[in-house]
Amino acid sequence: MTTGSTPRAPRASTAPLAHLAAELDELKAAHLYRPLRVMSTANRTRVTVDGRDVISLASNNYLGLNTHPRLVEAAEAANRAFGVGSGAVRTISGTMTIHEELEAALAAFKHVEAALVFQSGFTCNTGVIPVVAGEPDLIVSDQLNHASIIDGMRLSKAPRVIYRHKDVEHLRELLATARREGRPDGEPYRSILVVTDGVFSMDGDIAPLPGIVEAAEAFDAAVFVDDAHASGVLGRNGRGTVDHFDLHGRIAIQVGTLSKAIGVLGGYVAGPLVLRDMLIQRGRPFLFSTSHPPAVAAACLAAIRVLEEEPELIERLWSNTRRFKDGLRSLGFDTGVSETPITPVMVGDSATAIRFAARLLEEGVWATSVVYPTVPLDGARLRTIVTAAHSDDELDACLEAFGRVGRELGLVAG
Ligand code: PMP
């Protein structure tokens, strides 16, 4: 109702959210504040970011598929044929043939019975884990698993224990104790789920899957591997870590992302049909959030075909990775334990990592600084990912800039 009286002045605006301003000030003082960098171009090897033309080492676009003509054409055709939105959640009226075609293609690609697509890799983990594990079960998780796995475990009511990063002996001990002692009430665990990233996203190291599988089999546990950074990167045609280690049939649940090497958006779970069926009944992001636009599904489907038909892209990704890693090491940089295209350049403290990234950007190279809480307080680093699309000249220009700025900041010898 309009009263005509002068509106009352708003209350002092800071009161209810004052704690946010205070926390932001603390982050800034501790060099842990992350500004958003804004691109005005497609996310390619050369981008314009904050108005500056640079070479990017900052994407997860491993194969350059986000601008691949076959994907772009598939998306455009789907937009024209089916509209830009799906109109509902999957379980109401948001399932189209293109969604199911993609899932069938993913299942065949991964050599499993079935696959189910979620809106993102993140929602896939937070959706799947609570369905697979509950109060009567136990989750055993690698110390450095991705945030979405951690959130998925928190959302599940399952008790959990953490094993030291990639430490299969520690995993075995925890499994042995769990099987020997059972739950606090003395009952045996209904099931045990061992959860690991396939490739760890901040260090670029690979999970010791053969050892993990043997340990799990010895104690009748199931294995869940999140291949977000292995999909399109490791294994034949980018089938992931299970294929890389030839462990087909021995891993119950594989999660992958469609947002990184695949170049589009989404997450999927691949495994037995019962898993897919149950997730359709109970996976909360699947049930309560709208499905992908048809163009997203169509582009992902085109990407799977590209992986099958253009293996030279993955070969180029790996030869670029070797060239860049070797170059960084010969400049004297510490690239940590990386075994994949994710190549960290270890720095130590946050302030230096942020300064390093800022100076590189001025020199025309975009590499993101990664600081606490994403990595430990003393583990600040630049995180680089080369892609199949980088040219030799681009990689050499990046190395030259790393050398110059690294010497200027005293990170490598002059
Ligand atoms: N799992 C891991 C290991 C990841 O690195 C990421 C991406 N940061 C995700 C899941 C989430 O994937 P998406 O970006 O598709 O949500």
Side-chain angles (χ1 to χ4, degrees), residues 141-145 149 163-168 171 194-201 203-213 223-227 229-230 234 240-242 244-247 251 337-340:
S141 172
D142 186 286
Q143 180 190 1
L144 294 188
N145 277 341
I149 292 179
Y163 62 94
R164 287 187 295 271
H165 180 50
K166 299 206 321 184
D167 187 337
V168 173
L171 169 63
V194 179
V195 183
T196 183
D197 282 11
V199 169
F200 290 87
S201 58
D203 292 289
D205 49 341
I206 303 174
L209 268 196
I212 290 173
V213 167
V223 178
F224 172 121
V225 60
D226 173 355
D227 259 352
H229 285 281
L234 283 175
T241 50
V242 174
H244 174 73
F245 287 114
D246 199 11
L247 292 168
I251 305 249
V337 292
S338 167
E339 304 167 79
T340 64

Side-chain angles (χ1 to χ4, degrees), residues 112-195:
V112 295
E113 275 180 8
L116 193 70
V117 170
F118 284 72
Q119 294 83 354
S120 70
F122 200 103
T123 52
C124 191
N125 280 334
T126 56
V128 173
I129 296 173
V131 171
V132 175
E135 244 164 328
D137 310 306
L138 178 71
I139 303 177
V140 191
S141 172
D142 186 286
Q143 180 190 1
L144 294 188
N145 277 341
H146 189 255
S148 53
I149 292 179
I150 296 170
D151 286 7
M153 294 193 297
R154 285 180 181 154
L155 285 170
S156 83
K157 302 223 166 47
R160 49 195 173 269
V161 284
I162 310 298
Y163 62 94
R164 287 187 295 271
H165 180 50
K166 299 206 321 184
D167 187 337
V168 173
E169 270 320 300
H170 191 211
L171 169 63
R172 273 186 172 270
E173 281 165 33
L174 294 175
L175 288 170
T177 309
R179 281 297 181 215
R180 192 176 56 244
E181 294 177 5
R183 301 184 338 200
D185 64 6
E187 287 294 310
Y189 288 107
R190 182 179 65 177
S191 75
I192 300 182
L193 188 68
V194 179
V195 183

